[in-house]
Amino acid sequence: MSEKIYVGVDVGGTTVKLGICNSDGTLLQTYEGPTEVSKGPDTILHNIAKYVKLIVEESSYEWSQVGGVGIGIAGFLDIPNGIMKNSPNLNLNNIDIKGFLEKELNTIIKVNNDANVAALGEAWAGAGRGIANCVMYTLGTGVGGGIIIDGKIVEGFQSVAGELGHMAIVPDLEAIQCGCGKMGCLETVSSATGIIRMAKEAVARGDRTSLVEVEDIMAKDVLDAAKAGDEVATRIVNRAAYYLGRSMSMMSVILNPEYYIIGGGVAKAGDFLFNQINEVFEKYTQEASKDGVKIVPAVLGNNAGVVGAAGLILRG
Ligand SMILES: [Zn+2]
């Protein structure tokens, strides 16, 4: 048997997760080990190489079957050259990830950022399987994004395409400053962090809401309160959904993707949230751009990263 396999590596701040996929994106084997960020860039890179060798050794596959290794990692990259320009989380600056791993592993190496890789994972082998054009939103601490057109990641001129969380969409009068320094970014209202902030502000203002009884408000508390009919929580969730829907209507006239895939913790609110987003999308999107378009939940969960990283070799 000489079936090709592809190794995907999802480099996180604490853990490096790895997976072996076949050519249709089925996850065959997983492995994980510590990133050891505190030991510096050399250790991180050597750990990645070591874990790649280990996952293949421990599998029933031969090294000769490896068609390449894809790396998903958070930070600002020069994607074509596989160079990490700046990753605050991992404390990596101007590190040639691709060059190091090519020498160490002697195979094809592709590097991309974690949000793009998660989008590719879902597009290739998750919610968007078989769909050539889709846009993914990950609603977590921030709003991550990735754009897949004709089956491939849209990287852009400076490797920063698909930063959907930083679309400046909230009007100035209501805008607050984003972590990126600009005003009114989507993630200030539609991320878990944004939802929590709006809830805490409402409580501090003395608004009448069941959230006053929650000690340390999480996004899930706000979503649950909204589902139970709490008016303040409902307003907050409506607002998060409104700007997501508006941003999708803009994406649709620009790119006309077939699917919007929504992942991350906030997406667990399910139909309750999706119905609201759909309503806004329906209202603001011109007929031709929305015809047949679906807004669907992500299905791979935490595996999107390793699957998408493996997919970089075939689809990156
Ligand atoms: Zn921003």
Side-chain angles (χ1 to χ4, degrees):
M1 277 290 285
S2 62
E3 181 199 6
K4 284 283 177 210
I5 55 162
Y6 305 90
V7 182
V9 185
D10 177 3
V11 185
T14 324
T15 309
V16 182
K17 293 182 184 145
L18 297 94
I20 292 178
C21 288
N22 64 10
S23 57
D24 69 3
T26 304
L27 188 57
L28 305 166
Q29 182 129 354
T30 59
Y31 182 90
E32 62 178 68
T35 317
E36 300 187 298
V37 171
S38 63
K39 294 188 182 169
D42 277 356
T43 303
I44 298 174
L45 291 178
H46 279 107
N47 280 345
I48 294 170
K50 183 172 78 185
Y51 302 150
V52 170
K53 288 173 190 163
L54 276 170
I55 190 175
V56 178
E57 264 171 35
E58 287 182 3
S59 76
S60 57
Y61 302 95
E62 300 294 324
W63 184 260
S64 60
Q65 290 176 269
V66 175
V69 177
I71 312 287
I73 187 164
F76 294 101
L77 286 159
D78 166 354
I79 294 173
N81 294 308
I83 293 169
M84 176 56 78
K85 293 195 278 191
N86 173 29
S87 176
N89 288 353
L90 299 162
N91 205 12
L92 297 175
N93 295 296
N94 296 315
I95 302 290
D96 183 0
I97 298 174
K98 181 174 153 78
F100 174 88
L101 292 174
E102 275 172 352
K103 261 189 219 137
E104 200 71 18
L105 299 171
N106 198 23
T107 184
I108 297 167
I109 305 291
K110 295 213 175 165
V111 186
N112 213 307
N113 76 56
D114 54 346
N116 285 345
V117 159
L120 181 63
E122 287 290 344
W124 181 40
R129 192 184 267 277
I131 302 295
N133 300 296
C134 50
V135 172
M136 179 162 177
Y137 288 71
T138 305
L139 311 178
T141 313
V143 173
I147 299 169
I148 310 296
I149 295 294
D150 296 334
K152 299 207 174 237
I153 295 169
V154 175
E155 292 166 3
F157 163 50
Q158 296 279 18
S159 301
V160 292
E163 293 282 337
L164 307 182
H166 300 288
M167 293 173 85
I169 194 169
V170 183
D172 283 352
L173 281 174
E174 295 175 26
I176 65 148
Q177 192 175 33
C178 175
C180 74
K182 298 297 178 189
M183 300 294 290
C185 292
L186 179 64
E187 77 173 32
T188 63
V189 286
S190 300
S191 63
T193 314
I195 290 170
I196 292 165
R197 176 187 55 79
M198 292 187 280
K200 286 185 174 167
E201 282 171 2
V203 170
R205 263 198 315 267
D207 289 1
R208 277 188 48 178
T209 165
S210 60
L211 293 168
V212 291
E213 282 149 37
V214 182
E215 201 172 314
D216 187 15
I217 299 174
M218 305 304 255
K220 187 178 185 304
D221 299 317
V222 185
L223 289 155
D224 287 347
K227 280 182 192 173
D230 183 285
E231 279 179 29
V232 170
T234 300
R235 208 173 59 224
I236 292 167
V237 176
N238 283 163
R239 192 158 184 249
Y242 174 81
Y243 286 110
L244 279 168
R246 286 296 298 261
S247 80
M248 287 171 193
S249 78
M250 293 177 197
M251 296 298 299
S252 278
V253 292
I254 301 167
L255 293 170
N256 187 217
E258 184 171 349
Y259 275 17
Y260 290 97
I261 302 171
I262 310 184
V266 176
K268 292 196 180 118
D271 286 348
F272 178 72
L273 178 73
F274 281 68
N275 290 343
Q276 293 180 41
I277 299 170
N278 253 310
E279 229 170 81
V280 178
F281 180 73
E282 279 291 319
K283 181 174 173 190
Y284 288 99
T285 312
Q286 66 156 344
E287 220 48 56
S289 310
K290 75 178 182 206
D291 188 28
V293 176
K294 289 194 175 72
I295 301 173
V296 300
V299 297
L300 294 179
N302 292 333
N303 288 334
V306 289
V307 172
L312 287 173
I313 304 305
L314 294 169
R315 305 268 297 259

